[in-house]
Structure formats: structure tokens, C-alpha cells
Amino acid sequence: MSSAAELSPTPFGRLLTAMVTPFDADGCVDLALAGRLARYLVDEGSDGLVVCGTTGESPTLSWQEQHQLLGVVRQAVGPGVKVLAGTGSNSTAEAIEATTQAAAVGADGALVVVPYYNKPPQEGLEAHFRAIAQAAPELPLMLYNIPGRTGCSLAPATVARLMECPNVVSFKAASGTTDEVTQLRLQCGSKLAVYSGDDGLLLPMMSVGAVGVVSVASHLVGRRLKAMIEAYLNGQGALALSYHEQLQPLFKALFVTTNPIPVKAALELSGWPVGSPRLPLLPLDPVMRDALSNTLTALCQT
């Protein structure tokens, strides 16, 4: 195993936005707006974009919609920006199909979430991810652990075994604890690039070896998040901490209820008509929307 003191590579850059999926007034995917939003996010500091993840409401998108979105975003941002496709499923066969198709469409990587609801044991998780990796051996994979959504957790020891697959290169850590980063580094060494899956834990996670973040807040404050990352990397700890503290109210406001309900409301308030979430999610209720508006106004004044 590599020395724990070594820094990890950044296969997808440091700031990735888990992009929302815009819908029009009829509830159809607004592909033109998706392309404009993708370009805007890159202009605001994103090194890469994740399309059709949880924030992009993948559970309610058809496969055809997902493939169209990926193609539109890939074309909109050009070859210099990393584009990852959310290809996870609780069906291994479906995840394999989605991952191989993402590779064919031109994705730079795939975000593959831990299977949800069926709660496989670690041996099943290992077999699931190994099958996906072997089906698309040229496509870099980011394994995604979010036990609050999936009902089970991918253990660091299992990830270490999966690194026998050369395309298992990164990990999105969304268990809500910095210890996950530490345990992954101890088990896997520095070759695994760990990304925070929580904006509010980005700075603490970087302090224990994470390389960056798959962000929701970057829809709104991409430049500030990028500045925080760069300040930390440049040894300007006090400056990084000031960004971290300044952004906490927004981080909390964006998760006052189920993601992506608040961020879609925040984008609407900021002039991006991305539409309401699809059922079973609902628009943000008026009281929460007013509070979010106040948070955005206060943030603009800092």
C-alpha cells in the first residue's frame, strides 16, 4: 500500500457539480437549457459535471432521457471538461448496460452508486461493482457510497479489493463522516481519489486526504468553492476556513429537505427556470422557499 502521506491524483479535477436536470412547463427534459446550464457551471469554476445522478433525478428519468442529456452536456462543454454519467442501479445488468452505453456516448467516467433497497452483503457489492468495471474496462469509475439513500454501506476493505480493477479510480464519500476518508486511505492507499459528497464536509475531508467535491452548492457558488479549495491547497488555511464558514448557511439551506428540491428552487430564484422536480418529489414549500431566498440574499451581500 502507498504511504498514507502521499496525495491522491485528481482524475476528474477538484470541483465537480452534480447537475440538476431542467424540466420545462410540461415536465419534459429541457435539453437546450441543460446545455446552457452546463456551460455556465463550467464558467463558474466546475472542472467536471455529473449528469443523471441523484441530484439530476435519475430515478425518474427514462434511459432515453439519460442518454440524450449526456450527449447534450458532452457536446455543450467540449472535450476539456470531465463529464461523468450516473449509471448506478440496484440491478447489476441495468448498471452494466447504462455504463457501457455511457462509454459509447463519450462520457469521461461513470458515477456508480451502491445498490439501493435490496441491501446486498459485501460479497454481493463486490461482485456487482466488479462486473460493471469489467464490462467497461476503459471507462474510469467513481464508486458512490451514500448509505442514507441506499440502506447499506460499501466497506473500505471491499473497495480495496475492487481496486484490482484498473478503472476503479475514485470514490464519492457521502456517509457524513470524515472517518470514511481516513479508512479508505488506510485500506486503499493514495491511488484512490476520494471526493466529498457533502459540501459542508469538503474542507474537513480535504484535511484528511480527499481531493475535492461532487457538489450541489456549486450551482450557486462555484467560484467561492473553487477559491476555498485553492486557498487550502496553497496553505492559506485561514482564508479557506473563512469561505467554509461563510457558506455554511447555504449548505444547510440546500438540504433542509430532500435534494434536489431546494437547489432547484434556488436556481429558479437565481433566474434559471429549471422547473419543478418530478413526482414523487414536490416543489419547495413557500415557507422554506422564503427562507432560502433570504439566505441567497444574505450570501450576495458577503
Side-chain angles (χ1 to χ4, degrees):
M1 186 178 75
S2 300
S3 167
E6 294 179 16
L7 298 180
S8 298
T10 55
F12 306 114
R14 295 194 181 274
L15 178 60
L16 286 74
T17 297
M19 197 176 126
V20 303
T21 297
F23 299 125
D24 63 21
D26 296 321
C28 299
V29 175
D30 190 332
L31 293 171
L33 183 57
R36 293 197 299 273
L37 179 60
R39 290 191 296 271
Y40 169 78
L41 293 171
V42 172
D43 289 342
E44 290 295 301
S46 291
D47 301 310
L49 304 172
V50 177
V51 182
C52 307
T54 308
T55 305
E57 300 179 69
S58 57
T60 63
L61 295 175
S62 70
W63 288 118
Q64 181 181 9
E65 288 173 326
Q66 293 186 44
H67 299 152
Q68 288 176 328
L69 267 170
L70 178 57
V72 165
V73 171
R74 170 76 284 165
Q75 184 174 18
V77 300
V81 177
K82 299 294 186 180
V83 178
L84 284 75
T87 63
S89 172
N90 61 349
S91 162
T92 303
E94 281 192 359
I96 287 173
E97 181 180 2
T99 304
T100 55
Q101 291 196 10
V105 174
D108 296 297
L111 177 71
V112 191
V113 72
V114 167
Y116 37 86
Y117 189 77
N118 44 21
K119 298 182 73 172
Q122 293 300 309
E123 295 81 3
L125 293 174
E126 181 179 347
H128 172 83
F129 286 114
R130 193 178 294 274
I132 296 167
Q134 292 173 346
E138 302 303 317
L139 187 68
L141 302 184
M142 179 185 289
L143 309 185
Y144 180 15
N145 193 40
I146 181 164
R149 288 262 192 175
T150 63
C152 65
S153 186
L154 183 62
T158 306
V159 179
R161 293 192 295 272
L162 286 167
M163 290 189 70
E164 295 170 2
C165 304
N167 56 332
V168 174
V169 300
S170 61
F171 188 98
K172 180 181 176 183
S175 68
T177 170
T178 58
D179 186 58
E180 183 173 29
V181 182
T182 297
Q183 295 307 316
L184 284 165
R185 283 180 57 82
L186 291 174
Q187 292 278 347
C188 303
S190 61
K191 290 184 179 180
L192 183 71
V194 181
Y195 289 82
S196 173
D198 184 332
D199 285 301
L201 288 178
L202 169 56
L203 186 59
M205 283 191 173
M206 287 192 74
S207 75
V208 293
V211 301
V213 62
V214 181
S215 174
V216 174
S218 53
H219 283 93
L220 305 155
V221 289
R223 290 181 186 271
R224 297 197 207 193
L225 282 168
K226 195 66 171 287
M228 180 173 76
I229 292 169
E230 291 174 352
Y232 176 79
L233 294 172
N234 291 331
Q236 298 172 291
L239 179 58
L241 184 59
S242 70
Y243 280 116
H244 171 77
E245 293 176 348
Q246 177 189 105
L247 294 172
Q248 286 303 309
L250 178 65
F251 296 159
K252 293 183 182 301
L254 291 180
F255 286 87
V256 69
T257 188
T258 306
N259 179 49
I261 293 172
V263 70
K264 293 197 96 171
L267 282 165
E268 292 271 351
L269 289 165
S270 302
W272 286 93
V274 294
S276 299
R278 281 181 173 171
L279 287 171
L281 301 183
L282 293 168
L284 193 63
D285 77 53
V287 173
M288 290 182 179
R289 188 180 176 93
D290 287 344
L292 179 59
S293 179
N294 292 336
T295 298
L296 293 172
T297 299
L299 193 61
C300 290
Q301 296 170 350
T302 60

